[in-house]
Amino acid sequence: MDFVRKWVQALFFLLTNGYWNFPVTRGIYQGPLKVICSPGLNCYSCPAATSYCPLGALQQLIAGVRLSLENGQFFVGFYVVGAMGAIGSFVGRMVCGWACPFGLFQELLHKIPSPKFGVWRPLRYIKYGLLLFMVILLPLFVVDEFGFGHTWFCMYLCPAGTLEAGLPMLILQPALRANIGLLFFNKLFFLIFFVVWSVLASRPFCRTACPLGAFYGLFSKIKLVKLRLDPVRCTQCKACHSVCPMGVRFNESPEDMDCITCLACSKACNFNAINLEVGGVSLTAQPPGRLKKIHT
Amino acid sequence: MNTKKKSKAEKVRILPLAAIFLFLVLGAIGISLGEPARVLEQATQICLSCIGIG
């Protein structure tokens, strides 16, 4: 199943970054597909990006909400939140495991041989603070003299933006290098920090700092596609603990907000206690009494 | 007791569909307000400060 997942991740990477004419144009894609929401974190200032980043678009709309209201335009983010919410209600954080280019990037980094470490569990709550403050409240309330806010998360933190847009644009348009300042080095620091951390720990950005993952995580209890624990079959052997790339203890919290439905736990469970279901209908449940071969 | 369990199970199945519908309606309201044009306008311009340049 992990093989299939890798192919799906590659497919989504190519679909959301399908503009390969950028070395010629030295700019970004400006076609009509950019009105489509990218399910994962994928900067729309990336030269190859073919869709919009929901976090970037939401911050832009919130930052400019005063000006749009003054002009009689009600651009308050319904379109973007509607797309994000529909995706979240459908698959939740499954997007992180199957369709996010930055998630794929972190997984590939983690394959580099090195000592591996866990992520301190309380750090997982940082991302909800980032969603609330850097994506919503600060762009909304901290405004300049013209009433326009800033895209705080994009400007000061987003490592995906630096990797996919900042660095490529500096290569494509050398004249931009004159504008490099403290802001850029701040963002470069966060990129390097998360790159190094991704080698040492599994998906540290997803687990601690991704506001998009935090948003999708809010749908963990109501999403249509989810993993379900069969408490009758579960022996509490904790085989699901060690394989989870997000540090979820599935047998203890089967509706964990950090579950990315990668199915690693389902594969690791020798008792078929973890099954994928869609709208309450199980897709992978085995008949009673049928167990996987236990490897010793 | 059984009815209670059944209704809970039905609620679990209906809730995600209701949420998807709700957000699709929200998206449709956004479309009717002309938000996609604004999103497209933003997404086709490079925001230099947003990517750390400038």
Side-chain angles (χ1 to χ4, degrees):
Chain A
M1 188 51 79
D2 201 49
F3 179 74
V4 175
R5 192 170 68 87
K6 281 283 176 289
W7 276 102
V8 174
Q9 284 177 301
L11 179 68
F12 269 95
F13 172 79
L14 291 172
L15 282 174
T16 51
N17 293 284
Y19 180 66
W20 291 99
N21 203 29
F22 67 82
V24 178
T25 63
R26 295 185 175 272
I28 63 171
Y29 169 71
Q30 296 179 316
L33 290 176
K34 273 258 171 96
V35 81
I36 297 171
C37 178
S38 164
L41 196 67
N42 193 60
C43 184
Y44 56 34
S45 289
C46 169
T50 48
S51 49
Y52 75 82
C53 172
L55 277 188
L58 185 62
Q59 285 172 87
Q60 288 271 16
L61 287 169
I62 292 174
V65 73
R66 282 179 178 77
L67 292 179
S68 69
L69 289 174
E70 278 174 15
N71 293 329
Q73 298 165 318
F74 293 91
F75 297 159
V76 292
F78 286 152
Y79 176 66
V80 179
V81 174
M84 290 167 72
I87 294 168
S89 311
F90 185 42
V91 290
R93 288 205 77 173
M94 192 176 190
V95 166
C96 310
W98 292 75
C100 179
F102 202 68
L104 173 63
F105 177 64
Q106 289 172 88
E107 282 187 9
L108 296 177
L109 285 173
H110 195 58
K111 289 186 185 298
I112 296 172
S114 75
K116 302 299 179 190
F117 302 93
V119 174
W120 191 42
R121 285 179 71 82
L123 295 179
R124 70 206 312 231
Y125 299 109
I126 292 174
K127 59 182 176 287
Y128 301 103
L130 292 175
L131 173 64
L132 183 64
F133 288 99
M134 295 192 88
V135 176
I136 300 169
L137 296 182
L138 291 173
L140 184 62
F141 292 114
V142 182
V143 294
D144 58 20
E145 64 268 35
F146 306 107
F148 198 82
H150 294 295
T151 55
W152 285 71
F153 181 75
C154 296
M155 276 183 81
Y156 298 109
L157 211 157
C158 185
T162 313
L163 178 72
E164 297 171 0
L167 293 173
M169 290 314 295
L170 288 175
I171 295 167
L172 290 171
Q173 297 184 16
L176 291 175
R177 293 172 195 169
N179 298 329
I180 290 178
L182 197 59
L183 190 63
F184 179 77
F185 289 114
N186 167 67
K187 286 200 61 173
L188 194 61
F189 165 77
F190 280 116
L191 173 62
I192 294 169
F193 175 76
F194 279 111
V195 164
V196 174
W197 200 5
S198 298
V199 175
L200 301 174
S202 174
R203 287 178 168 260
F205 179 75
C206 308
R207 289 161 81 169
T208 66
C210 182
L212 189 58
F215 180 83
Y216 288 146
L218 299 176
F219 297 89
S220 64
K221 288 191 191 304
I222 63 160
K223 62 186 177 180
L224 193 70
V225 181
K226 66 197 301 186
L227 287 174
R228 175 147 295 191
L229 180 74
D230 184 343
V232 177
R233 288 184 170 182
C234 180
T235 61
Q236 307 293 335
C237 70
K238 299 179 181 175
C240 50
H241 291 203
S242 58
V243 296
C244 181
M246 296 292 284
V248 172
R249 297 165 184 163
F250 196 81
N251 64 322
E252 293 170 11
S253 61
E255 290 183 334
D256 197 289
M257 290 165 85
D258 276 349
C259 175
I260 58 171
T261 323
C262 66
L263 306 180
C265 55
S266 179
K267 189 183 170 191
C269 180
N270 288 315
F271 304 96
N272 297 316
I274 303 171
N275 298 298
L276 183 68
E277 66 168 38
V278 179
V281 179
S282 180
L283 296 182
T284 56
Q286 299 289 325
R290 187 174 167 187
L291 301 179
K292 291 177 191 171
K293 187 181 176 184
I294 298 174
H295 300 280
T296 52
Chain B
M1 187 74 175
N2 278 344
T3 318
K4 209 174 187 180
K5 272 186 183 173
K6 193 182 170 189
S7 68
K8 192 183 175 187
E10 280 172 355
K11 189 181 170 190
V12 170
R13 290 188 192 100
I14 291 167
L15 207 57
L17 296 173
I20 291 170
F21 177 74
L22 183 77
F23 282 106
L24 288 177
V25 169
L26 199 66
I29 293 170
I31 291 171
S32 70
L33 293 172
E35 266 185 23
R38 179 75 185 120
V39 170
L40 188 64
E41 187 188 340
Q42 291 166 347
T44 52
Q45 294 170 1
I46 303 171
C47 173
L48 289 177
S49 63
C50 301
I51 57 173
I53 306 167

